[in-house]
Amino acid sequence: MLKITIACVGKLKEPYWREACAEYQKRLAGFCQLTVCEVEEERLPSEPSPAQIASGIHMEGRRLLARFPAGAALVALCIEGAAVSSEQLAGRLENMAVSGVSH
């Protein structure tokens, strides 16, 4: 069964977001093994310099990457990235699974 890990920076603080996440994990249980892991957000000063921001992003990235086994396919989701539909994302996941990627 395909293992999907969603690693994100920060924590889901609102109860309704945690409930929605649990509901999706329940709905997808028959199709994949879905895990959500949250990594600590890097603390920055109130007015960080560009170098401090870059360093913070680097440290958060290292924490995220540490959550995945070697050989796992990684898909970065970012608000600045290209938008894809649910169907397109499902197609990409299916292509990865067919090509032998299990995580």
Side-chain angles (χ1 to χ4, degrees):
M1 180 176 288
L2 184 64
K3 295 179 183 178
I4 297 177
T5 301
I6 298 175
C8 49
V9 177
K11 296 201 178 276
L12 289 174
K13 295 177 180 102
E14 301 296 333
Y16 57 89
W17 286 120
R18 288 193 304 271
E19 291 169 10
C21 185
E23 178 64 24
Y24 275 101
Q25 283 180 291
K26 185 174 92 177
R27 289 181 185 192
L28 292 171
F31 303 100
C32 65
Q33 181 182 342
L34 177 65
T35 305
V36 177
C37 64
E38 301 162 328
V39 299
E40 183 180 350
E41 186 176 357
E42 189 68 18
R43 302 267 186 225
L44 297 175
S46 59
E47 294 185 30
S49 70
Q52 289 170 317
I53 293 170
S55 175
I57 291 171
H58 177 76
M59 294 305 293
E60 289 171 350
R62 289 179 61 128
R63 285 189 206 109
L64 290 169
L65 291 173
R67 298 297 185 131
F68 298 97
L74 302 179
V75 178
L77 303 177
C78 180
I79 197 158
E80 295 90 2
V84 296
S85 68
S86 295
E87 292 83 5
Q88 289 170 318
L89 181 58
R92 290 181 186 183
L93 293 173
E94 182 179 10
N95 287 340
M96 286 181 215
V98 168
S99 68
V101 175
S102 64
H103 195 156

